[in-house]
Amino acid sequence: MSEPIPGRNARLLVPPLVRTGEEFQVRLLIQHPMETGFRRDVDGNILEVNLLESLSLDFEGQPVFNALTMNALTANPFLTFVVAVKQSGKFNARWRDMKGNVGSISASVRVVAA
């Protein structure tokens, strides 16, 4: 059985329904080992460095968050953003790691009048 590709499994959680202009949390969890190059496997070999290099979140094409990471985050990074939107739409998260693995996930939110 082959190893899963790092970063392919993720969750993007948004409330299904919010009021216009109401602040709410967007939560993103990316399953990624975030190998720093300091750990060893069971045979004593150094595990190759593999960190997330970039991460972005947008709402209907408008940037919410962009990051170029320089150092390791924790394994399986979990990020939370507080946002407010005026219309229904879709959040899109994208990321890339040092080995060229890419991932993305989307989640929609419905906005109703206040």
Side-chain angles (χ1 to χ4, degrees), residues 18-91:
V18 297
R19 296 190 185 281
T20 303
E22 174 185 25
E23 290 185 347
F24 60 93
Q25 284 190 346
V26 175
R27 296 177 290 178
L28 174 63
L29 171 67
I30 304 170
Q31 291 181 336
H32 193 283
M34 299 298 284
E35 288 298 342
T36 62
F38 295 112
R39 290 185 338 120
R40 296 181 182 271
D41 65 16
V42 294
D43 297 322
N45 301 312
I46 294 176
L47 295 170
E48 186 178 349
V49 174
N50 188 18
L51 307 170
L52 289 180
E53 285 186 321
S54 64
L55 171 65
S56 66
L57 177 72
D58 70 62
F59 179 73
E60 292 296 319
Q62 297 300 311
V64 173
F65 176 84
N66 286 306
L68 297 175
T69 57
M70 301 296 178
N71 295 313
L73 301 171
T74 184
N76 303 319
F78 176 73
L79 299 113
T80 302
F81 311 91
V82 176
V83 298
V85 296
K86 296 179 181 177
Q87 64 189 34
S88 299
K90 187 185 292 187
F91 287 92

